[in-house]
Amino acid sequence: MPIITDIIASRLPLAEEEIGPRHPGALYQNATGAYEVLVLVTDPSEAAQLLRCDSARWAVIVRDVLRADGEPFVTGAVWTSEDRLVRPGRAADAFAPAA
């Protein structure tokens, strides 16, 4: 019989599923704004530090392009069916740790 943590871990979404198509350079839109992806951070310790939480698998630094004063900010919000990709980013650099 599998251990409960194994069952829970097997049902957790992959980081790539949570990130979705948010690679550097991508533009996506949802009900709250339209965002350009500036940096994708996949190093868990760096992501946790940026998000100011105990644990995180990834983080995305974005800028709201609909706001004239749109300053870059960090988010850990997962990709959902409400998000729409407007312009794809550069997938080749997507999962390299941010410097």
Side-chain angles (χ1 to χ4, degrees):
M1 183 166 130
I3 299 174
I4 299 232
T5 54
D6 292 340
I7 294 170
I8 293 170
S10 69
R11 295 175 195 235
L12 288 175
L14 299 173
E16 292 85 4
E17 294 171 338
E18 292 178 340
I19 295 166
R22 291 180 289 184
H23 305 295
L27 187 65
Y28 71 98
Q29 187 169 11
N30 59 32
T32 62
Y35 305 97
E36 178 183 20
V37 177
L38 304 175
V39 179
L40 172 59
V41 178
T42 57
D43 175 52
S45 62
E46 185 177 353
Q49 184 178 12
L50 287 169
L51 291 168
R52 294 184 178 107
C53 66
D54 291 334
S55 65
R57 296 191 289 175
W58 55 272
V60 181
I61 301 174
V62 298
R63 178 178 65 89
D64 189 340
V65 297
L66 297 180
R67 295 180 53 128
D69 63 344
E71 293 290 323
F73 66 94
V74 180
T75 183
V78 300
W79 184 263
T80 71
S81 61
E82 301 298 315
D83 298 312
R84 300 283 181 249
L85 184 65
V86 176
R87 177 186 72 206
R90 299 178 307 273
D93 302 331
F95 295 103

